[in-house]
Amino acid sequence: MWNDLVQIGIVLLILFVLMVPMGKYLYIVFGDKESKLDRIFLPFEKVIYRISGIRQIEEMTWKKYAVTLLAINGILGVIAYFVLRFQGGLPLNPAKIENMEPSLIFNTITSFLTNTNLQHYSGESGLSVLSQMLVITMFMFTYAATGLAVCIAFIRGLSSKGRSIGNFYQDWLRAHTRVLIPLSLIVTLTLVALGVPQTLDANVTVQTLEGGKQTIAMGPVASLESIKHLGTNGGGFFGVNSSHPFENPNVFTNIIEILSMWIIPASLPFTYGRMVKNSKQGWVIFGVMLTIFLLLLSLVYSQEKAGNPAFNELGFSHNQGSMEGKEVRFGIPMSALFTSVTTAATTGTVNNMHDTLTPLGGLVPLSLMMLNSVFGGEGVGLMNMLMYAILAVFLSGLMVGRTPEFLGRKIEAKEMKLIVIALLAHPLIILMPSAIALGTTLGTEAISDSGFHGISQVLYEYTSSAANNGSGFEGLGDNTIFWNTTTGLVMLFGRYISMVVLLAVAGSLITKQPVPETLGTFRTDNATFGTILIGTVIIIGALTFFPVLVLGPVAEYLTIR
Amino acid sequence: MKAFRMSLIMIVLCGLAFPLLMTGIAQILFPKQANGSILYNEKKQAIGSELIGQSFKNPKYFQGRVSSIEYDANGSGSKNYAPSNEEMIKRTQKDAEKWLKDHPGKTLKDVPLDLITNSGSGLDPHITPAAARFQIPKIIKANQGKVTEQQLEKLIQKHIEDRNIGVLGQPRVNVLLLNMDLQKVIQR
């Protein structure tokens, strides 16, 4: 028990040390001032601007910004479609993988397009080496960069004046050249040193000790592994993702992977604090995220540690905790922490099987994805949390009867309408399709465990899609036209509705005349506001999702206890 | 047009240049790890990967964890059973009873849980030290006197990997490495 807490504590401590400097670094990268970084990166970026035909960095309105973003996303999607459709005949296909089927391509492309990385194929048998690199690895960079760019643009809307929220090309390119690529280089090589393969061979066949044959699949794993976590993407090289010993061979790689997916979402609040010129704002947001995170982490840890109730009932030992679906090298603490971080940061990589988590343990990843704002995916998590913050300001304003302000800008009907759209879209695209899937045989056929757990499986699949997480209760037989299409649509809506809507909010706020701060101003940089914000997030989340959680995990818990 | 050109550049940069450059550097700096940490026997034949578990059906050897894919490392996975799944509960009970045959007087509570549960990847190379020790009676019986309890205990002791830097991770035994040493003893 104490050892477990020390292990988790060490990882948290490393995060605390890294996050503030990282937040500052991101602030410099996306700031409009010249910096020392220009000397290193600008010559390289200039080449890319020149080849792209971009002569000058123009200021963009939120509409222009959104259109450029959607255009680039669309173009990449189309190119990736052709690579997957014809991968069988393209080079770098040592394992002779066949072309992918269209509904699965639609699902795969939207999945990576939206930074969800839900995988209805299995990496070992469904993708050529070329596809793993050109489609999957590429998408992981480009879409993480998109999320980061949008988040920065959104904060600019809250913090600056005028009409422009920045230039998408510049933000997007810098997210690559100054953040994701350099970090990936370091992480990739560290992972290889610790045992993760990086080769162009697809497999090795060995003669086992007992004289049998074992074919061991491998490939350029480490390069994908690094950006998979740094970009909070989560799509594994292998079917079982980071529980595969090649993706995550030991506790050190496990910690590196946890920190890789956590560091950018955790440092963005500090970037935000700097951009709005009040670092306390950043600390409040971070504090709220950390509090909710720790509450849920302790639930999943204690549940898994206590063991599977069904086993305990029969008289099995529970001193190892629930080990079905987990790896010995990680044990309970490193599995529970990984599960919480991957669903908080909506990465979706897993180092243990979430379907096999104990009922209340499984409630935790579900809840974190439903909240979708506790750290959250690259950029979008902070945006969602700020959306809640505006909502909290609005609610507080209603209670005392005055016009709500956030960062010196009046929050009025237009912003609130937009925010309500974003707020309602998330539960709507989870609960509606879950109801449809549970009501039709097309959906229920895929369920592998009857009873209440089946409801959790369906719910998890759509929650994961909507939150652009991508992990799954993998017992679900989800590679069918029905599931590929519905989850594909949910992922698209989950990604782009809130992105565009929140950009519109930023576009509206940026044109407002700042209101001077007075004694009567409702402060958003202290513990009181932090508490209100925690309350807002939890109450909204609970009101929306509690009924369905009762039908799934809670009912399962009560029946096997 | 600008968007199209920039997309193409990023595809080449992130999708080709980055992984290929990384492969090149990794192959030069860390050739063993980059190629899957393959283990060789005295005759220089590849017999497995240090990181990937192997199936051991022969009772003369230590067994690894349950694997629904029979340690087929060309794929990966497990059954994703729910905690309440009856098939899983039945499988676990059956396995536990099989192990208990070698341990008269012991009960379900004494069977190390990692030995009778399916790992997440189906390729877990490790078991806990307790799970290794639990197999000693079975291995002595199957090898008909070629190996003693002390020898096995010593082998296990040699292969216990403790928590890293004293606190991180779990104490564990790599089954393949352990069996490679065991093979040397029983084939003498």
Side-chain angles (χ1 to χ4, degrees):
Chain A
M1 166 85 187
W2 285 112
N3 171 273
D4 291 356
L5 294 184
V6 171
Q7 293 198 41
I8 293 173
I10 289 177
V11 181
L12 278 169
L13 202 70
I14 305 176
L15 179 79
F16 293 159
V17 171
L18 293 177
M19 67 191 184
V20 180
M22 184 70 192
K24 185 179 172 192
Y25 179 75
L26 291 175
Y27 171 73
I28 299 172
V29 164
F30 295 105
D32 45 11
K33 290 192 207 78
E34 282 181 22
S35 67
K36 285 182 198 148
L37 296 174
D38 289 343
R39 232 180 291 161
I40 313 169
F41 296 107
L42 204 57
F44 180 63
E45 289 164 357
K46 273 188 179 152
V47 175
I48 296 177
Y49 285 134
R50 196 170 308 144
I51 305 176
S52 317
I54 297 169
R55 295 227 174 70
Q56 63 172 34
I57 306 298
E58 50 166 350
E59 299 286 313
M60 291 179 173
T61 60
W62 79 267
K63 277 184 195 143
K64 183 90 196 277
Y65 200 95
V67 168
T68 315
L69 176 164
L70 293 175
I72 288 214
N73 282 261
I75 292 165
L76 292 171
V78 171
I79 297 174
Y81 178 88
F82 285 108
V83 175
L84 293 181
R85 194 76 189 93
F86 300 111
Q87 62 176 359
L90 292 171
L92 279 175
N93 184 10
K96 306 262 177 296
I97 308 280
E98 288 173 11
N99 295 339
M100 202 183 257
E101 172 270 318
S103 92
L104 185 56
I105 298 187
F106 169 69
N107 189 279
T108 305
I109 302 262
T110 43
S111 167
F112 284 89
L113 195 70
T114 56
N115 197 340
T116 309
N117 297 208
L118 192 72
Q119 292 166 300
H120 286 183
Y121 63 90
S122 201
E124 299 92 329
S125 53
L127 289 179
S128 70
V129 171
L130 184 77
S131 300
Q132 287 273 21
M133 301 197 309
L134 209 59
V135 177
I136 307 302
T137 310
M138 174 278 288
F139 267 153
M140 290 189 169
F141 277 102
T142 53
Y143 292 101
T146 305
L148 208 50
V150 173
C151 175
I152 298 293
F154 180 69
I155 304 175
R156 285 197 195 111
L158 300 177
S159 63
S160 57
K161 273 185 278 184
R163 301 194 70 81
S164 160
I165 54 171
N167 177 291
F168 180 76
Y169 293 119
Q170 188 181 45
D171 290 344
W172 193 65
L173 183 60
R174 284 186 179 180
H176 282 101
T177 52
R178 302 186 181 194
V179 183
L180 297 170
I181 293 179
L183 284 176
S184 303
L185 288 173
I186 302 168
V187 173
T188 303
L189 292 178
T190 318
L191 287 178
V192 178
L194 290 166
V196 180
Q198 177 71 22
T199 160
L200 295 181
D201 293 330
N203 54 48
V204 171
T205 302
V206 300
Q207 177 141 29
T208 66
L209 212 57
E210 285 193 335
K213 282 235 179 312
Q214 188 184 35
T215 302
I216 303 177
M218 52 184 81
V221 185
S223 59
L224 181 137
E225 209 62 21
S226 58
I227 186 62
K228 167 178 115 187
H229 291 101
L230 283 166
T232 69
N233 293 286
F237 195 95
F238 302 102
V240 289
N241 221 311
S242 277
S243 62
H244 195 290
F246 272 162
E247 289 203 23
N248 195 356
N250 51 52
V251 69
F252 291 122
T253 56
N254 197 52
I255 292 177
I256 291 174
E257 291 177 11
I258 288 178
L259 289 170
S260 301
M261 58 177 151
W262 210 353
I263 182 68
I264 294 178
S267 51
L268 275 173
F270 301 102
T271 312
Y272 158 75
R274 280 177 187 273
M275 286 176 75
V276 300
K277 299 191 177 56
N278 181 351
S279 60
K280 276 197 215 151
Q281 298 275 6
W283 280 102
V284 168
I285 298 284
F286 175 79
V288 169
M289 290 175 168
L290 188 69
T291 311
I292 301 177
F293 176 84
L294 289 178
L295 281 175
L296 288 165
L297 169 66
S298 44
L299 178 63
V300 61
Y301 168 74
S302 59
Q303 288 296 318
E304 296 309 304
K305 189 78 184 167
N308 180 351
F311 276 11
N312 298 350
E313 188 87 341
L314 292 168
F316 284 105
S317 153
H318 55 82
N319 56 14
Q320 280 191 48
S322 174
M323 282 306 285
E324 176 85 16
K326 295 197 182 63
E327 304 281 298
V328 166
R329 61 192 180 282
F330 305 134
I332 301 296
M334 282 298 164
S335 298
L337 183 61
F338 202 101
T339 291
S340 306
V341 176
T342 189
T343 46
T346 72
T347 310
T349 163
V350 294
N351 82 348
N352 66 89
M353 296 299 113
H354 287 185
D355 209 348
T356 313
L357 289 170
T358 58
L360 293 186
L363 183 90
V364 168
L366 258 174
S367 311
L368 283 164
M369 292 189 297
M370 285 168 170
L371 297 178
N372 200 15
S373 57
V374 179
F375 297 110
E378 212 89 320
V380 286
L382 179 65
M383 283 167 75
N384 286 337
M385 188 51 99
L386 291 174
M387 172 185 85
Y388 277 112
I390 296 176
L391 188 71
V393 167
F394 179 73
L395 294 176
S396 313
L398 286 184
M399 281 188 263
V400 296
R402 50 170 296 165
T403 318
E405 291 157 16
F406 188 64
L407 303 172
R409 283 149 217 262
K410 285 208 169 88
I411 306 294
E412 288 165 306
K414 186 180 171 198
E415 292 79 40
M416 283 321 294
K417 275 185 204 155
L418 288 167
I419 284 183
V420 167
I421 293 177
L423 200 66
L424 287 183
H426 187 59
L428 205 67
I429 57 175
I430 293 175
L431 298 176
M432 290 288 284
S434 297
I436 294 171
L438 288 168
T440 60
T441 47
L442 279 175
T444 48
E445 271 169 2
I447 293 172
S448 69
D449 285 285
S450 54
F452 298 114
H453 191 82
I455 297 179
S456 306
Q457 280 189 333
V458 170
L459 183 65
Y460 196 102
E461 187 74 5
Y462 287 114
T463 310
S464 175
S465 303
N468 295 150
N469 178 287
S471 65
F473 271 18
E474 291 296 344
L476 194 70
D478 49 18
N479 185 10
T480 64
I481 292 181
F482 173 81
W483 286 98
N484 286 339
T485 318
T486 53
T487 52
L489 290 173
V490 169
M491 288 186 275
L492 279 178
F493 292 140
R495 174 81 167 171
Y496 293 110
I497 290 179
S498 69
M499 233 181 214
V500 173
V501 166
L502 290 177
L503 276 180
V505 173
S508 162
L509 286 176
I510 200 166
T511 54
K512 292 201 178 185
Q513 202 59 26
V515 216
E517 198 173 298
T518 62
L519 259 183
T521 305
F522 178 65
R523 300 194 67 92
T524 54
D525 59 355
N526 54 22
T528 316
F529 181 69
T531 317
I532 294 174
L533 185 50
I534 292 177
T536 311
V537 172
I538 292 182
I539 290 170
I540 302 256
L543 281 177
T544 327
F545 292 112
F546 196 65
V548 70
L549 287 175
V550 167
L551 286 176
V554 176
E556 190 189 3
Y557 170 73
L558 293 173
T559 44
I560 66 171
R561 185 170 54 119
Chain B
M1 199 55 215
K2 285 182 206 161
F4 183 70
R5 281 201 236 167
M6 195 170 216
S7 303
L8 276 187
I9 298 170
M10 291 328 250
I11 289 183
V12 173
L13 195 64
C14 302
L16 278 178
F18 172 74
L20 292 178
L21 177 74
M22 287 294 96
T23 310
I25 299 178
Q27 289 286 342
I28 293 167
L29 290 182
F30 311 106
K32 177 168 173 274
Q33 295 96 313
N35 292 307
S37 309
I38 300 294
L39 297 167
Y40 298 89
N41 60 11
E42 292 94 8
K43 292 176 215 144
K44 301 272 178 269
Q45 290 158 321
I47 53 163
S49 164
E50 191 181 335
L51 301 175
I52 302 287
Q54 252 176 37
S55 163
F56 289 99
K57 288 258 184 290
N58 190 335
K60 289 178 180 171
Y61 290 112
F62 287 95
Q63 287 182 19
R65 301 188 61 194
V66 179
S67 167
S68 59
I69 55 165
E70 297 292 342
Y71 288 94
D72 174 8
N74 204 17
S76 59
S78 51
K79 289 271 190 183
N80 280 293
Y81 284 131
S84 54
N85 187 294
E86 287 187 8
E87 263 175 65
M88 175 190 74
I89 294 174
K90 261 186 232 150
R91 183 208 73 206
T92 315
Q93 269 179 317
K94 222 176 88 192
D95 282 354
E97 275 153 24
K98 207 177 74 200
W99 282 110
L100 282 173
K101 276 187 200 147
D102 303 314
H103 293 271
K106 300 237 164 138
T107 63
L108 285 183
K109 221 178 181 56
D110 303 304
V111 188
L113 205 60
D114 57 309
L115 200 56
I116 47 174
T117 46
N118 201 137
S119 64
S121 60
L123 302 171
D124 195 342
H126 298 112
I127 51 176
T128 57
R133 293 205 177 93
F134 198 74
Q135 306 191 27
I136 290 177
K138 181 204 75 169
I139 292 168
I140 294 178
K141 204 158 81 184
N143 283 302
Q144 295 165 340
K146 279 191 215 142
V147 65
T148 64
E149 191 176 339
Q150 284 85 350
Q151 278 174 313
L152 286 174
E153 179 59 44
K154 228 166 108 187
L155 276 181
I156 293 173
Q157 201 61 43
K158 178 182 155 200
H159 282 281
I160 291 180
E161 301 165 37
D162 204 2
R163 295 181 199 276
N164 298 77
I165 60 165
V167 282
L168 295 172
Q170 305 293 327
R172 62 210 176 271
V173 174
N174 186 312
V175 182
L176 178 56
L177 293 177
L178 176 62
N179 279 334
M180 282 167 74
D181 270 0
L182 176 63
Q183 190 181 40
K184 283 178 205 150
V185 177
I186 57 181
Q187 284 187 350
R188 220 175 358 222

